[in-house]
Amino acid sequence: TDEIMHQDINPLYAADIQDQLKKQFAYLSGGRGGDGCPVITFPDYPAFSEIPEKEFQNVLTYLTSIP
């Protein structure tokens, strides 16, 4: 079972996770894929493996909720 897909998702606001967003381990580059979906960019981030799972989920949840 894919636990991430089955979690109840509460709305996240940038102010709630501003410290996590400032790390810029993932961001919206402004581009769109062939299907029109936004492109999330994962730049080289030396401490990527040290990002807590909850922090990673928060940032991706926030980025994918932006219209």
Side-chain angles (χ1 to χ4, degrees):
T1 305
D2 188 348
E3 294 177 20
I4 294 173
M5 297 303 292
H6 294 288
Q7 292 179 359
D8 291 329
I9 298 175
N10 295 325
L12 286 174
Y13 301 100
D16 297 335
I17 60 168
Q18 64 183 344
D19 292 336
Q20 297 167 24
L21 292 170
K22 285 180 184 178
K23 293 180 181 180
Q24 295 185 342
F25 60 83
Y27 62 89
L28 291 175
S29 61
R32 296 217 172 247
D35 59 358
C37 292
V39 173
I40 297 176
T41 301
F42 295 91
D44 186 28
Y45 188 80
F48 192 82
S49 63
E50 298 171 14
I51 298 168
E53 184 177 339
K54 184 65 176 169
E55 190 171 309
F56 184 78
Q57 287 178 357
N58 284 345
V59 170
L60 287 187
T61 298
Y62 173 73
L63 293 176
T64 57
S65 70
I66 298 172

